[in-house]
Amino acid sequence: MPPLPSPNDLPASPSELADLALRTAVAAADMVRERRSAGFGIATKSTATDMVTDVDKASDVLIRGLLLDSRPDDGLVTEEDADQPGTTGVVWVVDPIDGTTNFVYGHPPYAVSIGACVGGRPIAGAIVEISADDRYVASIGGGSYRNGSRLRLNEPPELSRALISTGFGYDPDRRRDQAALLGRIIDQVRDVRRLGAAAFDLCSIAAGRIDGYYEHGLNDWDLAAGQIIAAEAGAVVEHLTGGVPAPPGCIIAAHPDLVGPLRDLLLTHGADEL
Ligand code: IPD
Ligand code: CA
């Protein structure tokens, strides 16, 4: 992947994109919250456990409309519908509800996630955890914020005292392999969390609620906004073996001093073979 253009050569202001992402994510989160109490239909997608609801689709429509009203020539990739190139160099990468299983069961977190990418890399993004209206936003070089307060990573613990989160895909074989990998490393960290929304895992790194995160098989929309929010708070967000994250390859995120030990642990236990 080519390097990002220098800040002056970016096709749009990252902070303005972040503002638009946040306004849009807040509007979508408000709608999703209301629609949840009114009831919703459920269908399945890639496997019998991969759900999509009417509200995922309505959120997708709302977000597309709001983004294109403001920036009609941008590209759009959304989980439930769009894959359209634009002409500006900015591509919005959107998960209208990340954590759909949590949404269905009424189990936080579930979140709207909107990233703005240039050359495949996020330069701005916003995530709103819907049930608590918990708002995260970041732009490249501009820092990462939660409900208006700047986020910065604390010093990390040793790996053996680190709280690590991960997730599982919807394909049964992949899921078994992911669980087996987790079984091989769980005794070498403090404990493990499975939050159920990858975007929120990355916000949780930024906010210090977990120390490290890894997951195989994410999609671009699970990652885009969370990647910049975690990175702007001081985290390293990389492919398992280093370099730019490349979904569906394994993503790893942690404080710069913890990412090496976490990477070594995962590689020692075969994470690169999943
Ligand atoms: C899923 C969630 C989950 C992760 C899965 C994703 P979805 O997204 O982010 O935490 O483990 O890999 O597919 O289906 O709820 O949008
Ligand atoms: Ca989703």
Side-chain angles (χ1 to χ4, degrees), residues 45 51 56 79-80 94-100 111 170 221-222:
K45 297 196 292 185
M51 292 184 285
D56 293 72
E79 179 171 10
E80 308 308 344
V94 174
D95 194 336
I97 301 180
D98 185 39
T100 296
Y170 294 111
W221 48 77
D222 299 315

Side-chain angles (χ1 to χ4, degrees), residues 25-26 29-30 32-34 36 103 106-112 127-136 146-147 200 209:
V26 167
D30 288 349
V32 170
R33 204 176 302 112
E34 268 184 45
R36 186 168 195 289
F103 169 78
H107 186 136
Y110 44 94
V112 175
I127 293 172
V128 176
E129 198 287 309
I130 296 161
S131 62
D133 195 14
D134 190 17
R135 303 176 182 184
Y136 299 80
R146 176 188 185 198
N147 300 326
F200 198 76
R209 292 187 298 263

